[in-house]
Amino acid sequence: MSQASPNIRMAAKLFKHAELPLYKRVFHLGRAVIDYSRQTNTSLLSFYFYNLVQIPVFIIMVLSIRKISTENEDLTGAGMLWFKNLNEPDTYLLLPLMATVLNYFNLGVSCLT
């Protein structure tokens, strides 16, 4: 997988900069990735397996944090800035958006190394 990943990323970059219509770019990218995986005996499912395994873990983590925050009365006055009470949901949705952006940035940086 680690040897095939840079080549698949290169195909995705070519897909991004090609001047063909979208449906042709998608077709050619898919064809190139499938042909490459056949030539190198690489399983495409192994690329997505790790992400699929992380989905239930993430859901359990989010539900656990929600349960802890709603049942614990010690968090009532422990907020700051626009969220004064940690037992209440963020009305502006800034915390989930910030967490999403930071996770995306973290994964992007870790893929470069």
Side-chain angles (χ1 to χ4, degrees):
M1 255 180 24
S2 64
Q3 294 173 351
S5 184
N7 294 328
I8 292 176
R9 281 192 199 123
M10 184 180 65
K13 284 182 184 178
L14 291 173
F15 164 79
K16 182 179 176 181
H17 298 293
E19 294 184 8
L20 295 171
L22 180 63
Y23 70 93
K24 286 187 179 182
R25 286 188 285 172
V26 170
F27 174 76
H28 290 300
L29 175 66
R31 195 63 168 148
V33 170
I34 290 172
D35 289 342
Y36 180 76
S37 69
R38 286 183 184 155
Q39 291 172 358
T40 59
N41 292 328
T42 306
S43 173
L44 293 176
L45 292 177
S46 62
F47 281 99
Y48 301 107
F49 176 73
Y50 299 111
N51 294 326
L52 291 176
V53 168
Q54 290 179 4
I55 290 172
V57 173
F58 179 74
I59 291 172
I60 290 170
M61 180 189 71
V62 168
L63 292 176
S64 299
I65 291 172
R66 180 187 293 174
K67 184 177 179 183
I68 290 170
S69 67
T70 56
E71 292 179 359
N72 191 353
E73 293 299 324
D74 294 338
L75 300 174
T76 302
M80 60 186 215
L81 300 176
W82 69 92
F83 52 99
K84 302 295 184 197
N85 185 356
L86 293 177
N87 285 344
E88 295 176 4
D90 184 12
T91 55
Y92 301 111
L93 295 177
L94 291 177
L95 292 177
L97 292 174
M98 286 175 20
T100 303
V101 168
L102 290 173
N103 280 329
Y104 181 75
F105 177 73
N106 185 22
L107 291 173
V109 169
S110 66
C111 289
L112 294 177
T113 58

